[in-house]
């Protein structure tokens, strides 16, 4: 019997999701034994033309990581959607827009100007900004278009399942691959991780007070933490109450606050708004000046509350 064909692809990605696949360690041998890898540009020399030559639905599952920023990424997402029976948004960038989605705080022109002309480390004597097309001596070069807005995968093409995390953990990847191979998949649209808040699985949960009050927010690198007490109760901005579990609380266990990479549970519409409202309700201040002093302890509010989810939030992007 032929093996199911599997594709991996990366869009606007840091490469960490690809590393996560390699992190399967010796289990990767079992995966490669069970499936036929037909496309994985970061590791194997397949070309886009190889995918284009495939029949529709020939690929059993395409795992796509990274957000969608360029015209080429859009085209690849559509191509893989046509050729694959199942498309899995792999990792926070594909699932929610991720860290690259914070670029939606600026527009395309501002980003290109800063990166190619204004950043302190730039030496660009000719003041060149990349063009989508350039012709010289009868030759023509084209580059993918750099879109104005970063999007999550499902804002470009239909997605069947979501593997959350920055990156997804080896355990979740193994479980997802196992479920796909055994045909034991939940309804389409499911996020393949438990639908509970991270606090539920955190080993520090018992020390999280029923009624929490905070008079200051602390930064992890400036704080001597008590490793036995809930980080939020210590004034460290932990996104656990507004974030889906499934990572086995790796960050709080390592004494780092959760930054929210698994996204919200199904009951939360906007992860950033949810944690903002949770935080607002525990700030213990008597007047406006005190509220401002306490909130000044959060140096980058949008980067903190919407670190992984700006493109799929209610805000989506800053209008410029
Ligand atoms: S989800 Fe995280 S690890 Fe994966 S590509 Fe995005 S930033 Fe990198
Ligand atoms: S440390 Fe974070 S994840 Fe753990 S119980 Fe406290 S708020 Fe929840």
């Amino acid at each position: 019997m032929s093996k199911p064909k599997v594709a991996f692809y990366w869009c606007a990605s840091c490469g960490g999701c690809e590393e996560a696949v390699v992190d399967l360690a010796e289990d990767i041998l079992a995966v490669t034994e069970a499936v036929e890898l037909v496309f994985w540009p970061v590791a194997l020399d397949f070309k886009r033309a190889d995918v284009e030559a495939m029949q529709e639905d020939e690929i059993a599952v395409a795992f796509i990581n990274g957000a969608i920023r360029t015209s080429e990424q859009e085209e690849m997402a559509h191509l893989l959607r046509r050729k694959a029976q199942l498309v899995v948004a792999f990792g926070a960038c594909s699932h929610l827009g991720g860290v690259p989605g914070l670029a939606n705080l600026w527009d395309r022109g501002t980003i290109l100007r800063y990166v190619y002309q204004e950043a302190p480390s730039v030496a660009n004597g000719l003041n060149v900004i990349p063009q989508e097309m350039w012709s010289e001596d009868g030759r023509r070069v084209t580059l993918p278009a750099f879109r104005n807005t970063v999007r999550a995968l499902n804002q470009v093409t239909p997605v069947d399942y979501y593997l959350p995390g920055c990156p997804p953990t080896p355990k979740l990847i193994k479980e997802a691959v196992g479920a796909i191979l055994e045909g034991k998949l939940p309804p389409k649209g499911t996020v393949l991780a438990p639908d509970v808040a991270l606090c539920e699985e955190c080993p520090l949960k018992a020390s999280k007070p029923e009624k929490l009050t905070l008079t200051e927010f602390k930064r992890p690198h400036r704080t001597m933490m008590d490793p036995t007490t809930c980080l939020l109760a210590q004034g460290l901005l932990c996104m656990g109450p507004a974030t889906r579990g499934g990572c086995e609380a790796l960050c709080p266990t390592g004494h780092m606050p959760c930054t929210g990479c698994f996204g919200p549970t199904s009951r939360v519409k906007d992860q950033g708004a949810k944690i903002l409202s949770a935080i607002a309700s525990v700030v213990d201040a008597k007047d406006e000046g005190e509220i401002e002093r306490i909130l000044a302890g959060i140096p980058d509010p949008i980067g903190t509350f919407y670190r992984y989810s700006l493109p799929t939030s209610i805000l989506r992007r800053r209008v410029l």
Side-chain angles (χ1 to χ4, degrees):
M1 204 175 81
S2 63
K3 297 177 183 177
K5 294 180 178 171
V6 170
F8 288 97
Y9 191 67
W10 58 352
C11 295
S13 155
C14 74
C17 280
E18 308 278 346
E19 297 266 354
V21 177
V22 180
D23 261 0
L24 288 172
E26 61 268 25
D27 287 330
I28 202 169
L29 298 175
V31 173
T32 50
E33 188 57 37
V35 305
E36 183 186 350
L37 284 169
V38 291
F39 191 54
W40 191 11
V42 79
L44 302 163
D45 190 23
F46 294 109
K47 305 292 186 210
R48 175 173 168 158
D50 298 321
V51 182
E52 285 168 340
M54 289 178 194
Q55 305 292 318
E56 305 228 332
D57 282 354
E58 186 173 332
I59 300 172
V61 53
F63 294 95
I64 303 179
N65 73 79
I68 308 292
R69 161 61 100 180
T70 67
S71 55
E72 181 184 52
Q73 291 157 359
E74 261 170 49
E75 288 161 20
M76 288 305 298
H78 290 305
L79 175 63
L80 287 164
R81 176 68 276 182
R82 283 203 306 281
K83 304 294 179 177
Q85 294 158 39
L86 294 176
V87 167
V88 177
F90 188 104
C93 296
S94 186
H95 173 203
L96 302 165
V99 172
L102 286 172
N104 288 352
L105 295 173
W106 295 273
D107 65 3
R108 175 185 187 280
T110 309
I111 292 170
L112 289 177
R113 265 196 314 282
Y114 185 77
V115 171
Y116 288 95
Q117 296 176 330
E118 297 166 359
S121 56
V122 167
N124 179 2
L126 295 175
N127 244 356
V128 172
I129 284 196
Q131 309 295 310
E132 282 166 30
M133 207 247 294
W134 185 260
S135 301
E136 201 166 301
D137 296 336
R139 298 192 188 93
R140 200 172 71 160
V141 178
T142 55
L143 284 177
F146 184 77
R147 301 292 192 217
N148 198 45
T149 297
V150 175
R151 288 172 290 168
L153 185 60
N154 70 358
Q155 292 173 319
V156 172
T157 196
V159 167
D160 298 303
Y161 295 102
Y162 302 84
L163 250 178
C166 181
T169 60
K171 179 172 175 286
L172 280 190
I173 299 171
K174 260 189 287 179
E175 285 172 3
V177 171
I180 291 165
L181 290 176
E182 290 163 27
K184 292 183 180 161
L185 280 162
K188 285 199 175 170
T190 300
V191 177
L192 301 174
D195 197 11
V196 292
L198 174 65
C199 292
E200 291 303 310
E201 66 184 41
C202 176
L204 304 175
K205 168 181 147 187
S207 59
K208 186 169 166 225
E210 198 63 41
K211 175 146 178 44
L212 195 61
T213 51
L214 293 174
T215 53
E216 71 171 317
F217 290 107
K218 299 174 186 160
R219 311 286 305 278
H221 59 286
R222 292 190 180 158
T223 309
M224 283 299 288
M225 285 178 224
D226 169 2
T228 62
T229 300
C230 164
L231 302 174
L232 193 54
Q234 297 182 61
L236 292 147
L237 203 45
C238 182
M239 298 276 286
T243 300
R244 182 183 287 264
C247 62
E248 300 169 272
L250 289 173
C251 295
T253 304
H255 313 141
M256 282 303 289
C258 166
T259 56
C261 72
F262 268 53
T265 63
S266 64
R267 293 166 297 287
V268 174
K269 192 160 185 199
D270 186 302
Q271 187 184 18
K274 168 80 178 167
I275 192 72
L276 256 172
S277 102
I279 293 299
S281 68
V282 300
V283 168
D284 185 15
K286 288 173 198 61
D287 54 58
E288 225 169 279
E290 209 176 339
I291 292 174
E292 273 177 28
R293 179 191 60 76
I294 295 172
L295 295 184
I298 306 171
D300 175 15
I302 196 147
T304 303
F305 300 124
Y306 289 95
R307 182 168 304 176
Y308 303 96
S309 64
L310 183 60
T312 45
S313 70
I314 295 167
L315 300 172
R316 289 188 180 236
R317 64 160 301 129
R318 181 189 279 176
V319 179
L320 295 155

